[in-house]
Amino acid sequence: MKPIDWNSLGFAYMDTNCHIRYVWRDGAWDEGELVVSPYINLHIAATALHYGQAAFEGLKAFRRKDGKVSLFRPEENAKRMLVTAERTCMAPVPVDMFVDACRRVVKANLDYVPPYGTGGSLYVRPLLIGSGEQIGVAPAEEYTFIVLVTPVGPYYKGGLQAVKAIVLDGYDRAAPQGTGHIKIGGNYAAALYPHLLAKEKGYPVELYLDAKEHKWIDEFATSNFLAITKDGKYVTTKSSSILPSITNLTLQQLAKDAGIPVEIRPVAFDEIEDFAEVAACGTAVVVTPVNEIERGGKMYRTGPEIGCGPVLEQLYNSVQGIQYGELPDVHGWNVDVE
Ligand code: PLP
Ligand code: COI
């Protein structure tokens, strides 16, 4: 293993000891095995390649203050992958198998879990693909489930530093009755081009509106939308085409624990400047404040010019405090790896 500079990790792939791989054939999953090579030998007619039978998840393992390593709410990711598998006609990965796979692969890669105090984590990426061949459009008869891991630091440079977002009205991410609520690769392929456009304009993140009216806020490209109202409520968007974020669920619970009222409702873009604080939330981005949003050449202010608003900071500290074992895990969200 090469030495790793834990303090300068970004959100990038790094090879580790191994990944875990399971194959589903004739109606059953095998026992799974740890595989050293980061390559797979895939049939050229695999449905993942042609017809987009490809789904993934994202969660993290943390090295806590007491030295133990835990996964954060892995059953929630397992349940979400079941919804994705059903919608895309793929073999379901049972919750126990999913969690066990995450545990086994993290245990085999403990050297890659960033030390406590560095602010890093081990990103855990479950992947489910149709690996059997089909040439007519139909679900595969063979599936491969992989969990790979890689050590990561902050998704956007600078931790709790605010970022600027842009609404690109020429692009949609997901249709109201489409596949925005599940985690398939195709959703991200569709967002790559607008993402590059946004980056060229100097915006690290895009905010998507509902595809039907372009009136309601859906979510950011890789994270949910949340806002704090001037009278201190937590507001997040209700929409059929957003991914149900586990981080958002977690923050909602932490907000309620702190006596902050939570509202889940359609949020019109017209309201954007009424909020005191706006953020993107997700496993990779944790809670990232968004203090300015551009739409059609106009800038909207959505948070303090520098730094982070007080409520977002409180929520960020609570979630990270639990993940790193600095605060009591009263909801039982941390799942020990060993
Ligand atoms: N929305 C999208 C489109 C995402 O890709 C993600 C990342 O997983 C999220 C929201 C946040 O979900 P979670 O908090 O479960 O990571
Ligand atoms: C995550 O937060 O886990 C994501 O999936 C975001 C992105 C890396 C796709």
Side-chain angles (χ1 to χ4, degrees), residues 166-187:
I166 186 167
V167 174
L168 293 164
D169 275 293
Y171 298 89
D172 293 319
R173 178 176 187 275
Q177 298 183 90
T179 55
H181 64 296
I182 57 169
K183 205 158 167 66
I184 51 171
N187 290 343

Side-chain angles (χ1 to χ4, degrees), residues 56-58 77 80 123 173 180 183 188 219-224 242-248 281-284:
F56 69 98
E57 272 301 330
N77 294 86
R80 190 167 67 189
Y123 186 67
R173 178 176 187 275
K183 205 158 167 66
Y188 298 82
E219 63 175 334
F220 295 101
T222 57
S223 47
N224 273 184
I242 64 173
L243 193 73
S245 155
I246 296 152
T247 312
N248 196 349
C281 70
T283 297

Side-chain angles (χ1 to χ4, degrees), residues 93-114:
V93 176
V95 172
D96 288 352
M97 176 181 139
F98 182 104
V99 174
D100 192 48
C102 294
R103 270 217 183 93
R104 282 169 73 185
V105 71
V106 174
K107 257 171 83 171
N109 286 287
L110 285 175
D111 293 347
Y112 288 90
V113 186

Side-chain angles (χ1 to χ4, degrees), residues 22-30 90-92 128 131 140-145:
Y22 298 70
V23 177
W24 186 92
R25 277 191 204 102
D26 303 323
W29 289 106
D30 66 15
M90 293 202 270
L128 174 64
S131 46
E141 289 179 2
E142 180 198 287
Y143 292 86
T144 299
F145 175 61

Side-chain angles (χ1 to χ4, degrees), residues 41-181:
N41 191 15
L42 195 60
H43 196 287
I44 55 172
T47 60
L49 302 177
H50 299 252
Y51 302 132
Q53 271 195 312
F56 69 98
E57 272 301 330
L59 63 156
K60 282 175 173 171
F62 296 87
R63 193 175 296 277
R64 304 195 312 242
K65 201 176 170 187
D66 63 6
K68 289 192 178 154
V69 173
S70 48
L71 287 154
F72 192 68
R73 308 192 75 177
E75 301 90 350
E76 295 301 320
N77 294 86
K79 287 192 256 167
R80 190 167 67 189
M81 189 171 249
L82 282 173
V83 177
T84 303
E86 185 176 21
R87 179 67 176 80
T88 50
C89 305
M90 293 202 270
V93 176
V95 172
D96 288 352
M97 176 181 139
F98 182 104
V99 174
D100 192 48
C102 294
R103 270 217 183 93
R104 282 169 73 185
V105 71
V106 174
K107 257 171 83 171
N109 286 287
L110 285 175
D111 293 347
Y112 288 90
V113 186
Y116 171 73
T118 60
S121 57
L122 188 71
Y123 186 67
V124 178
R125 169 56 66 82
L127 174 74
L128 174 64
I129 60 171
S131 46
E133 72 281 8
Q134 289 289 359
I135 209 69
V137 179
E141 289 179 2
E142 180 198 287
Y143 292 86
T144 299
F145 175 61
I146 284 170
V147 186
L148 63 92
V149 294
T150 201
V152 296
Y155 195 74
Y156 300 116
K157 285 261 165 278
L160 250 190
Q161 288 305 308
V163 297
K164 289 194 276 184
I166 186 167
V167 174
L168 293 164
D169 275 293
Y171 298 89
D172 293 319
R173 178 176 187 275
Q177 298 183 90
T179 55
H181 64 296

